[in-house]
Structure formats: C-alpha cells, structure tokens
Amino acid sequence: MSARAREPAGAGGSEAVDADNAAWEERSVLRVVPPVEPRKLAKVPFVELADGRLQGVVSSGSDIERVYVSSISAGDHALSCSTNNNRPCGALHGYACKHINLLADEAVVQYGLDRVARYLRVEVPEGERLMAHINGHVERTPAAVVFSRFLRHLAYLEVPDSTGPLTELHWFPATGAVR
Amino acid sequence: MLDVQLSELIADGPAGVGAALDVVAGFDAALTHGFARIGEEPAAALAALAGALGGTPLAGRVSEAVEKVSAGSVADEHLAALAGGRAALFGAVHDALLARLDTALGRTRATWEPVAGESETRANLLAGCRIWLRELAIVGWRGVDHDLVASADQTIEALLAVPELRGLAVLLDGLATELRASSPIATMDRLPARRWADLWTRATLLSQQGPWPGGGERVSGRLLILGADVHEHATVVRVQVHAVLEPSGGAPTMLVRTSVAAAKVDTIVGPTVWRLLGGHPALLAALAEHRSLEITDMPLLPGGDLVWHDDRARPGEEADPFATARLQLGAATAAAVTPLDRHPVRIAEPVFVEGYKSDGRTLTLGGGKIAFDLDRLPSCGPLTPALLKASTACVGLLRWDGGQWSLQPLAVQSVVKKEPVAAHNGDWAKGPTDPKAAKAEARNGDVVAVLRERAGRLLRK
C-alpha cells in the first residue's frame, strides 16, 4: 500500500485500476506524505518544499550565530540567499552561491532527486546533478518567512513529552521497514 | 490465537458493516466536494446519513443539520452534528467488529462504567480549530490551497502548548502536513477521502467544549510487556506498550496500554526517534532488556490506558514477552473502550500465534489466512519482512481497515541460518543492537543534538 500510494493512479482508467482506487480511497490508514531519508543536519538544518520554492536554512561556516536563508523557486528557478537579518549573501551574483548548492544537495538526500526535480519543474537526466540544470536569475526574496518557519520547526524540540492515550495516533502508524 | 479462532474472526460479516460504510462513503464524497454548494448527489448522501441515524438519539440533531447544510447554511453546530453522525456509524461498526473478535478469541472485556466528565476551558483555542475545520468543510478537499493550510499554523502551535489538547494538536498537525504535501490537491488523481474525513470528523468532535469523560484510578503491581506499537508523523513519535498488569493484592490480571510521545521534526527518523524518549529510562530499559516493571500508584484510565510516570516504575526481573503472551494473555481481562474512541482504526488487540506457515506477507493457520500488516513495521526497530517469512511464532495486534483484518507484528520468533532468533519492536529502545543499523545512524551524526544546539542559539533572540 505505501508504495502504491506514491504512484499516480493509472491513466488508462481500466476497471482494475478503478477498483484499486476505490479500495485505496476507503482506507483509514494510508501513507499520504512520502517518507524522507535521514541526513546530516550540521550544515543544512532545515529544508522544505513549500510555498512554490525549495527553501531552507544553511548554517554559516564561519560564524555560529549566523545562518543563511536560501531558496530556488519552482518554474522560473529564481535564486535567493541572504542572512536571517536580510543581508544579501555576497557570493550570490549571476550563479548560485555555495549555500544554495548545499541546500540543493541536502534536499536531494532528504526527498530524492525525482521529488525535488518534479517540484522545481526541471528535467535532470539520470546521473546528473540537480544544480547543473538550474540556471535561474537572482531575485532576492525576504528571509523572514522562511526563517520563522525554521524557528517554528525548532520549537517542536521544546514541546514537552505526553503520556496521554492520544488515540488519534492510531491513524499514524510508524512505517518504513519495508525496503 | 488458534486456527478455529482465526477462521471465526475472518468469516463473512458482521452483518450491516457494508451498509453502514456505504453511508459513510457517501458522506465522504460530499465532504470532498465541499458544503459550499450541495449538488444532487451530495444532498442524497447527507439525507442517507440522516436516514441511517433515524432511530437513534442523534436523529433530530442530524436531520436538522442535513437540512440546514443542504440549504447552504454551514454553522458549527451543524458540522458537529454531522461529525457526530458519521462517528456514530463507525462506532456501530467498531462495536460489531470488536464483539466478533472477543467472541472468536474468547476474550473477556470489562463493561464501560459512566464516569464524571471534565470540562475543557480553552474556549478560544477550540473555536479557532472549529473555524479552520469549517473552512475545510466548505471548500472541500479539492478547494484547499496553501494559504488555507498555513492558516492553521498558529492554532496548532497554541494547541501544542496545552497538555490536555495534545491529541487534537497532533491530529490537526498531521492533517495539515498531509494537505500541504498533497498540494495542489485540485489536480490529485485520487484523494484519501475516507482517511481525511476520519481525521476531520475526529478533530471536529474534539474541538467541541466538553465535558469529556475523565476519571481513572491508581494502580500498583507488576507490568509484563507484550510488545511496543510505534506511531509517527512528521512532528510526533509515540511508543504505545501493550502489557499484562498483575495488580498487587491478587486482583485478576488486566490487559493495559501505556504510552510515551515526543514532539519531533521530519528529519528525525529511524532508530534516532528513541533518543527523544530518553526521559522515560525505566520504560526504555524494560523494552530493550525484556524486563518486567514494578509500578506504584500509576493512574489507570477507564479505557485501559496507564498514564506513564517513569518515576513510579522500576525495571524488575527478566520477562520474555513470548512467555507472557503464551501464559498470561489468554486469561487477562481487556478494558472497555472509551465511547468517543469507538472507531475501527483503534482496534489493536494483542494476540499470540504460533504453528503457522508464512510467506512473509500472509500467515496461514489451519484453513484461515490473515495478512501481516507490512506497513506497520517501524524503521526504528528490527522487524523485517524477511524475519516474518522465517517466523514460527508472533506476538501481534489484530487490526481492521479497508474491510479486512490484518495482523501487525510486534515481535517474532524466527529461524535464521538454523538458529532461533527473536526480534521485538522495542529492542532498539536504548540504541540499535544491529551493527548495520547502528552504523547507519552514526553516519549522520547526532541530529537531535545539532537541532537542539540550533534551537538554543536561535530561538530566544
């Protein structure tokens, strides 16, 4: 089921596919969100495909207080990189800076190349790097929204444990051992 | 579970389940479409819901709600009545399935004793949830866009800060994540209509002002673990332990569950999730080392949930879950089900099976067959389809979804290279015991520590 849930429904619309879809649609427990792969978080603590962009946060290599907010827009592949205080990244002009490259690499580890490429609407032939096919212009977008989403993300680590029955979680089984 | 018991469990029926679920499917299609403009088909589906509940105490409320919603007036109280009606249908299905299970297994179950209610006072927060749920119902799943999903963020954040509303918080957060990951929903080939309507229904009910049943008593005694069931979405992980409780004083043994849940983020996956649960060392030690637990004065809720307090427990002697399942499971009394929780998805009844044939996907016992629930093998534990295929005995949970029973393995005894091995979901509670898994985890560094460092440095600026 989890594998099938990620496949698009059959385009042919045969009866078997219709019956399969009907059975799928009448299940309470399904994997709707594709799984993400574990990765190192030291350099790029936060990556997401949201709001029409691949966006995330890259920790500065030189200053532990500083982070960069980097993004690539879906479709036109516009590039943006600035510090969380909205200072433009000095290395971003004309072509992607190392922060954007790191962001793209880690996104591919986390989501897989297919999913990232599909989201950004870019064709990447097998065996080639995503960034080799991203030729967008620089278009600064404000860092605040992404940075605050990152802070919200971090805030989860400070939510206290719960020992209540939380019956709701029976809809959310841990999965993933089927390889 | 014996072969005759399995055959009785999986026999046709229970009567009426198909008809009830047809009514549900009609409602789910109407919700998918959205209540902004009710067409002919959705109107008929809503009328069928009112009809199905005609002989129940909900009849008046549901038929009024159907009338108003069909006429284009979508008020909170009407949505609550519709959610209540849909939940009542599933309650009936749940009861029929559980009665079938108890009869087949010869399981004794306590009866529900009404308990005093506790009222929830966070009126504004619940109202915020209802506004979002009403918007979803009005636009329908295909009308949900990024902005509507994002508009729930603040409410969810506020809910997470309230311990009594944690269930509603993890539910809305899980639904919002699925909607966000599925966008643009308008162009999806197929929708998880049953699932999302389930989540919407439960959230709508939990967003009502109580009183909800409270209660509970203090218990002491010896806890013998049967196995661990793991639940997870992007921002939560929960380990629910099924166990037999031998109350001190010699009262009859009971089947109980106890849970620990931690908030997390999507990049914390696999065996690393156990690191988030380090605040419960006695429970983790008992899982990893296969020990019993001596508990003192721990609250036991009427639905059979022990509210875990790690400081009121200490690991005891070694206790093999297979021995507990073989010797104690049959005689233990199962708890009654909390009325609001009566939905088939909640059915997770521990059983012990042996002497079967397995192809790794399906278990054959005598004339009966039941599928292993392979989607419920967590990546934080050692169970794999290969171990299931080589297995000769299994402690598992009976589950029901999509019209079928399945067996979710919690632990198996298998023969690998002619040697007997046992694997339990909780074996890695104190870190992976499999060198390959330990190495894979180590490769990514301590991701929890990295994120905590970032949180410490950046959050309070």
Side-chain angles (χ1 to χ4, degrees), chain A residues 1-9 20-21 23-34 36-42 45 47-51 59-60 64-67 84 110-111 115 119 147 149-179, chain B residues 25 146 153 157 160 166-167 170-171 173-174 178 180-182 189-196 198-199 202 206 230-233 235-236 238 240 259-269 280 301 305 307-308 341 343 345-346 374-379 383-384 399 401-402 443-444 447 450-452 454-455 457-461:
Chain A
M1 177 199 75
S2 65
R4 263 193 326 192
R6 290 193 293 277
E7 285 170 16
D20 204 36
N21 280 351
W24 185 85
E25 291 184 341
E26 292 186 3
R27 289 190 65 103
S28 288
V29 176
L30 291 169
R31 172 154 229 165
V32 176
V33 182
V36 304
E37 287 297 315
R39 62 179 184 85
K40 290 177 186 160
L41 301 180
V47 166
E48 64 173 2
L49 297 169
D51 219 357
S59 293
S60 158
I64 52 170
E65 302 281 344
R66 191 191 305 154
V67 296
N84 49 324
Q110 180 164 330
Y111 297 114
R115 197 170 154 204
Y119 193 88
F147 189 64
R149 288 183 56 80
F150 174 52
L151 294 184
R152 183 174 187 267
H153 184 82
L154 290 177
Y156 277 101
L157 298 173
E158 311 214 322
V159 174
D161 290 359
S162 169
T163 56
L166 307 185
T167 306
E168 299 70 31
L169 288 176
H170 284 278
W171 272 278
F172 299 95
T175 60
V178 180
R179 285 172 268 253
Chain B
H146 186 81
D153 285 356
E157 219 168 297
L160 282 165
R166 187 65 167 270
V170 297
L171 174 61
D173 210 1
E178 291 187 5
R180 185 175 276 128
S182 303
D189 286 318
R190 56 180 182 176
L191 288 171
R194 169 72 47 85
R195 174 177 175 79
W196 284 351
D198 272 0
L199 301 180
R202 185 154 179 96
L206 293 180
V230 187
H231 302 156
E232 185 177 355
H233 66 47
T235 56
V236 69
R238 186 266 286 273
Q240 184 165 57
S259 295
V260 291
K264 70 175 195 78
V265 295
D266 57 351
T267 41
I268 300 175
V269 288
H280 314 279
L301 302 179
D305 290 286
V307 182
W308 191 252
D341 293 351
H343 185 293
V345 82
R346 185 220 63 85
L374 297 176
D375 290 316
R376 286 183 185 258
L377 298 181
S379 54
L383 265 63
T384 58
R399 295 223 172 242
D401 193 16
R443 202 159 40 227
N444 291 317
V447 295
V450 167
L451 291 175
R452 287 206 170 122
R454 292 283 80 184
R457 204 170 290 281
L458 300 168
L459 265 184
R460 275 158 297 277
K461 285 225 161 167

Side-chain angles (χ1 to χ4, degrees), chain A residues 105-127:
Chain A
D105 290 348
E106 292 298 300
V108 167
V109 177
Q110 180 164 330
Y111 297 114
L113 179 59
D114 276 1
R115 197 170 154 204
V116 179
R118 212 178 324 129
Y119 193 88
L120 293 178
R121 297 195 291 272
V122 54
E123 295 274 341
V124 182
E126 211 175 306

